[in-house]
Amino acid sequence: MILLRRLLGDVLRRQRQRQGRTLREVSSSARVSLGYLSEVERGQKEASSELLSAICDALDVRMSELMREVSDELSLAELAESAAATDPVPVPVRPMLNSVSVSSVAGVPSGRVTIKAPAEAVDVVAA
């Protein structure tokens, strides 16, 4: 599942890091607690429009630019998610064996039969 708050946080962090600024600097300039800004960047908190506006002002980035970058990230994430959902997952092919019924074997006590075969090729069902 794609979480918009994570994409938004990733874009905000990249914007801040491109400018070589610390969380402390941006949080102070935006008048937001450092811890809260950190949670927004990590996608753990949903940012209000007022908070986004303050962060964008602190980063000197237009909100439309921020949202455009988030939109691009969302498009890529959706494409990746849909590609993963449509790619068939290979299912291992197991050879079909004819069923064998054993009622008794001469010289073997009842209920004790050993079948030697590759483990992935045999399903044993007790009757």
Side-chain angles (χ1 to χ4, degrees), residues 98-104:
N98 294 330
S99 61
V100 176
S101 178
V102 178
S103 55
S104 66

Side-chain angles (χ1 to χ4, degrees), residues 4 12 17 20 27-28 32 38 42 50 59 62 67 72 77 82 86 94 99 108-110 115 118:
L4 189 57
L12 285 170
Q17 289 174 338
S27 70
S28 175
V32 173
S38 174
R42 288 180 283 137
E50 292 86 358
L59 291 170
R62 298 176 80 171
M67 292 305 197
D72 292 345
S82 74
T86 58
R94 289 180 40 170
S99 61
V108 176
S110 178
I115 301 172

Side-chain angles (χ1 to χ4, degrees), residues 1-15 18 64-82:
M1 171 175 32
I2 302 166
L3 292 178
L4 189 57
R5 70 176 185 256
R6 285 207 181 130
L7 294 175
L8 181 63
D10 289 343
V11 172
L12 285 170
R13 183 183 307 109
R14 276 198 307 272
Q15 286 285 348
R18 281 184 202 135
S64 59
E65 290 176 40
L66 178 79
M67 292 305 197
R68 189 173 304 112
E69 195 171 337
V70 170
S71 177
D72 292 345
E73 293 283 326
L74 180 59
S75 292
L76 291 173
E78 287 173 334
L79 285 173
E81 195 174 72
S82 74

Side-chain angles (χ1 to χ4, degrees), residues 14-116:
R14 276 198 307 272
Q15 286 285 348
R16 179 179 58 77
Q17 289 174 338
R18 281 184 202 135
Q19 296 176 16
R21 297 181 63 195
T22 66
L23 273 169
R24 186 172 309 283
E25 291 169 341
V26 175
S27 70
S28 175
S29 181
R31 295 189 178 140
V32 173
S33 78
L34 185 137
Y36 197 80
L37 180 58
S38 174
E39 288 178 315
V40 168
E41 281 193 1
R42 288 180 283 137
Q44 294 178 334
K45 293 287 184 185
E46 200 84 46
S48 68
S49 57
E50 292 86 358
L51 179 66
L52 284 176
S53 179
I55 296 169
C56 285
D57 287 346
L59 291 170
D60 197 31
V61 173
R62 298 176 80 171
M63 195 179 307
S64 59
E65 290 176 40
L66 178 79
M67 292 305 197
R68 189 173 304 112
E69 195 171 337
V70 170
S71 177
D72 292 345
E73 293 283 326
L74 180 59
S75 292
L76 291 173
E78 287 173 334
L79 285 173
E81 195 174 72
S82 74
T86 58
D87 285 347
V89 177
V91 176
V93 178
R94 289 180 40 170
M96 295 297 290
L97 301 175
N98 294 330
S99 61
V100 176
S101 178
V102 178
S103 55
S104 66
V105 177
V108 176
S110 178
R112 296 191 66 201
V113 176
T114 302
I115 301 172
K116 293 191 178 188

